[in-house]
Amino acid sequence: MAAAFALLPLVGTAGAAPAAPRTAAAADVAVRVNTQASLGRLTDVARGVNAAVWDAHMNDPEVAGLMKAADVGAMRYPGGSYADIYHWETHTAPGGYVAPGTGFDAFMGTVRAAGAQPILIANYGSGTPEEAAGWVRYANITKGYGAKYWEIGNEIYGNGHYGNGWEHDEHPDKSPREYARNVRAYAKAMKAVDPTIKIGAVLTTPGHWPDGVVGEGDPGDWNHTVLSETADVIDFVSVHWYAGGADTTADAAMRRLSGLPGELREVRAQLDRYAGADSPRIGIALTEINTNTGGARLTARPNGLFAADAFLTALENGVFTVDWWNTHNGAGQITTVDGETDYGDMGMLSSGGCTGDVCEPPPNTPFHPYYGMKMTAELGTTGDTLVAAASSAQDVSTHAVHRRDGRLSVLLINKNPDAARTVDLEYAGFTPSGAAPEVSRYARGDSDVTDVSGGDASASRVTVPPYGMLAVTLSPKAGTGPGASAAGTPGTPRLEAVTDTTARLSWQGAEGAARYLVQERDGAHTRLVGETTGTSVTLRNLPPGSTHTVNVLAADASGRLSAPSAPLTFTTGTPSDAACAVTYHRDTSWGNGFVATVTVRNLSDTPITGWTVDWEWPTDRQSVSSGWNATFHQTGRHVRVTAPEGAGPLAPDGGSAVSFGFVGANDGPNPDPRVFRLNGTACSTG
């Protein structure tokens, strides 16, 4: 970090007091970037947009150029819920409008001109596995388009099975079990044509309706049912994220974005549960994202800030593609935001439509979300590494990418509409050169992402305009960083075995490595937790039920470190030979609430009188509202349950059990507690 002040030369006559040192204005934000903590690598489809067959401007020549300028790598077709009424061969969507010039081949012309790839949605609602297989044959065998990613349907959980229906589904049985059965049939038929394609199943985002809801006659909710029956045949899952909420402003959406990492972690946890060791093979695609589904402030500047923040937040948390809804969408509610007209349009580009006598600018004029996405392209492209970055201020977001050529790019997003923010930059694992940084800006007064290199920005301090974004790219000092190491980058660590207190990891070795360091990440900080000359290590003395994210780095014979491996996140279990056992059962859920029953057995050889049961909620948005058969007290995430007055002892050797229940609340995902303690002793769970 730069010094906070500099001393000026002493000037004056003999006997005069020296001039007081001049103190530089203090920064009001501190940002730390750690290039030794990898969050994963940018894929060739990292940035994406949706395209819809009802959009007459979908294939305008300008679109491909704009998408290429923003490094868009994925274009999703044929358009959200239209996918479940659209028949690719006839280019028809019974019950809906199909614009001229939006057929599959025309779409692929735009995709190719943009240098992107398609993400295609096979018609589940009114289609068949055979129709989908025919599309694969036409796309990849007849035309040679090489379409890799294929989703089975759009938001099929919205087919009315849970009481709210917007998605077309002609199957008499609309349950998740029937969807899972058909996913297997679609996958079999489609991969028989082209075994190299990737099949995606639709999930609901944890914490968003109908997550956790059980339909009539179902033994389980949507996600758990679908994954339990398809994990062996799918290659990715597709989820959607709209900020929602009663406050539909983009400012509120930016605040709600803080819940996205936890929701994505729960998607991965569900994949881990049902795919086991095969889980890393299954990707997560965030195929629709925006602040809201209509009525929000959608085209104005704050939604541009949201777009940049959302794209990178998702990519940092295990998503391989993030696809904005939509390329063009159409004018909606007209408002004024930040002194500009907001057209209530969910598109990145203007459709030229009108609401009443207020009309959008000419078609394909970019709205602020387009420039938000374009700012993310200033950080890097395919194969570059997302690294940990943390800000001390809630209204200043930061993201960083360590490029393959050794440069480091940092994006700063100032969500404060009224004040510029001065940011001190600190680095771990990276030493900047003395060269002036390259700086790009998108802020008030800019008509595009603007090069402002040569200004006051330095490697240690920058100022970000109000409601503005700044991308700073730094070159490494010669002889420093991974480029100076003779060791290559280790492979992604694999979890070979895990207990309640240990985890055995292994990885593919790196050329030139003399030893390996295993580092655990906490925010933008890392600490050494293992070291070895081999390619495996056992981490010990881990707390039961604890979650850890680690990277592996290689050191060459001189001790110079390589770039970090991709990250591995794992959770320890509970003791198999514990003196107690706990069963946690979620009896019912309704999106933002649930009822659960906890059953406790004493497996020790002595009775227990006056028991307490403790657990920690995995998120800070879970709580106990009321309970029975015990007394409940919650502080922060910690819950303590005490035996009711007059309760008898817990018999030894599992001879008796005690059960208590409660009504819980959740704002977001609702993962089960990982470890329960009976009178302070960790119990086994089942």
Side-chain angles (χ1 to χ4, degrees):
M1 184 178 293
F5 60 87
L7 294 179
L8 299 178
L10 301 182
V11 180
T13 60
R22 181 180 297 171
T23 302
D28 52 9
V29 182
V31 163
R32 176 183 172 86
V33 179
N34 190 340
T35 62
Q36 295 181 347
S38 166
L39 306 181
R41 291 180 177 83
L42 290 169
T43 70
D44 55 355
V45 291
R47 281 172 284 269
V49 296
N50 279 266
V53 292
W54 41 260
D55 171 15
H57 297 289
M58 183 179 76
N59 296 311
D60 287 355
E62 303 96 317
V63 172
L66 287 164
M67 295 301 110
K68 193 166 189 175
D71 197 32
V72 168
M75 302 184 76
R76 184 173 179 252
Y77 177 91
S81 294
Y82 256 62
D84 287 306
I85 60 173
Y86 179 70
H87 300 282
W88 71 272
E89 192 167 16
T90 58
H91 188 48
T92 58
Y97 169 72
V98 174
T102 61
F104 177 56
D105 288 318
F107 164 72
M108 285 304 303
T110 299
V111 169
R112 287 186 155 185
Q117 294 183 51
I119 295 178
L120 302 174
I121 318 171
N123 183 341
Y124 175 84
S126 59
T128 65
E130 293 71 28
E131 180 183 32
W135 196 0
V136 174
R137 182 175 295 105
Y138 179 79
N140 292 355
I141 308 302
T142 303
K143 302 294 290 190
Y145 289 142
K148 181 189 297 185
Y149 299 103
W150 298 78
E151 297 178 57
I152 311 304
N154 186 52
E155 298 170 348
I156 301 300
Y157 49 79
N159 60 9
H161 183 66
Y162 298 105
N164 189 1
W166 64 87
E167 198 74 17
H168 187 81
D169 184 359
E170 296 179 1
H171 296 84
D173 181 353
K174 294 177 172 52
S175 69
R177 178 165 290 175
E178 176 68 2
Y179 174 70
R181 187 188 70 79
N182 277 287
V183 166
R184 300 188 70 88
Y186 273 71
K188 181 179 180 180
M190 295 164 74
K191 287 196 172 186
V193 176
D194 183 352
T196 69
I197 65 171
K198 306 293 186 183
I199 297 293
V202 172
L203 296 186
T204 183
T205 305
H208 294 237
W209 187 93
D211 176 45
V213 179
V214 176
E216 185 176 352
D218 274 349
D221 64 11
W222 183 273
N223 283 11
H224 292 88
T225 302
V226 170
L227 287 176
S228 67
E229 300 186 18
T230 66
D232 60 322
V233 299
I234 60 173
D235 304 288
F236 67 98
V237 295
S238 173
V239 294
H240 294 171
W241 197 88
Y242 293 91
D247 185 343
T248 59
T249 64
D251 288 326
M254 285 189 283
R255 292 192 296 271
R256 285 191 286 271
L257 192 59
S258 64
L260 180 59
E263 293 162 9
L264 293 172
R265 283 195 297 270
E266 182 61 10
V267 174
R268 178 52 63 187
Q270 292 173 358
L271 289 169
D272 290 345
R273 175 176 177 180
Y274 293 106
D278 201 32
S279 175
R281 178 188 62 79
I282 303 175
I284 301 173
L286 189 54
T287 52
E288 288 185 22
I289 190 169
N290 209 314
T291 51
N292 214 307
T293 53
R297 281 64 173 163
L298 294 162
T299 66
R301 184 172 302 279
N303 207 23
L305 306 180
F306 170 88
D309 209 7
F311 268 93
L312 290 165
T313 297
L315 293 169
E316 291 165 349
N317 286 276
V319 170
F320 71 87
T321 184
V322 186
D323 309 321
W324 188 262
W325 183 270
N326 199 4
T327 302
H328 308 89
N329 207 72
Q333 180 183 359
I334 306 298
T335 56
T336 300
V337 179
D338 195 40
E340 299 177 296
T341 300
D342 187 292
Y343 298 97
D345 189 321
M346 299 177 72
M348 282 198 159
L349 309 178
S350 171
S351 65
C354 305
T355 296
D357 58 357
V358 178
C359 294
E360 294 182 347
N364 299 311
T365 300
F367 292 132
H368 289 291
Y370 170 80
Y371 293 115
M373 178 176 64
K374 190 175 181 181
M375 277 296 289
T376 71
E378 295 291 299
L379 269 66
T381 189
T382 307
D384 293 339
T385 301
L386 295 148
V387 295
S391 168
S392 65
Q394 288 187 343
D395 61 356
V396 176
S397 293
T398 184
H399 307 275
V401 172
H402 200 184
R403 302 194 186 204
R404 288 165 294 168
D405 62 9
R407 291 181 299 158
L408 175 67
S409 294
V410 183
L411 179 65
L412 300 158
I413 304 170
N414 181 5
K415 295 175 278 190
N416 187 318
D418 302 315
R421 305 302 299 273
T422 301
V423 180
D424 273 347
L425 295 164
E426 175 188 0
Y427 309 97
F430 180 83
T431 304
S433 72
E438 300 172 26
V439 185
S440 298
R441 184 189 67 202
Y442 187 67
R444 291 173 178 141
D446 294 329
S447 59
D448 200 341
V449 175
T450 304
D451 183 355
V452 291
S453 303
D456 295 334
S458 71
S460 59
R461 178 170 289 189
V462 297
T463 299
V464 190
Y467 258 11
M469 295 181 276
L470 213 63
V472 181
T473 297
L474 306 160
S475 298
K477 182 179 179 181
T480 67
S485 176
T489 304
T492 306
R494 300 181 299 272
L495 183 64
E496 301 289 352
V498 64
T499 69
D500 56 323
T501 60
T502 67
R504 181 170 177 78
L505 314 178
S506 67
W507 54 88
Q508 184 176 345
E511 185 176 351
R515 59 192 173 96
Y516 297 94
L517 308 179
V518 180
Q519 298 201 109
E520 180 170 6
R521 179 173 66 86
D522 180 10
H525 292 266
T526 53
R527 63 186 182 93
L528 183 67
V529 293
E531 186 172 355
T532 180
T533 56
T535 56
S536 65
V537 70
T538 298
L539 306 182
R540 304 185 185 279
N541 301 316
L542 305 174
S546 57
T547 298
H548 307 266
T549 298
V550 297
N551 301 103
V552 180
L553 295 91
D556 66 13
S558 300
R560 295 169 298 193
L561 295 179
S562 71
S565 71
L568 168 71
T569 298
F570 65 90
T571 301
T572 57
T574 55
S576 58
D577 56 351
C580 51
V582 171
T583 300
Y584 178 89
H585 184 263
R586 203 180 311 167
D587 305 322
T588 186
S589 300
W590 53 89
N592 61 352
F594 60 102
V595 174
T597 299
V598 180
T599 302
V600 184
R601 292 184 180 274
N602 169 24
L603 303 181
S604 72
D605 56 8
T606 58
I608 296 177
T609 303
W611 52 264
T612 63
V613 174
D614 295 83
W615 72 80
E616 299 279 338
W617 290 117
T619 80
D620 57 9
R621 300 181 180 185
Q622 295 169 280
S623 60
V624 174
S625 301
S626 61
W628 50 92
N629 294 343
T631 301
F632 296 79
H633 180 73
Q634 180 167 339
T635 303
R637 292 187 182 185
H638 183 79
V639 178
R640 168 159 287 189
V641 184
T642 57
E645 187 175 350
L650 274 171
D653 302 319
S656 66
V658 61
S659 292
F660 53 85
F662 63 91
V663 177
N666 60 290
D667 179 12
N670 188 27
D672 294 349
R674 300 185 183 104
V675 62
F676 296 84
R677 297 180 185 274
L678 175 63
N679 289 0
T681 299
C683 302
S684 61
T685 57

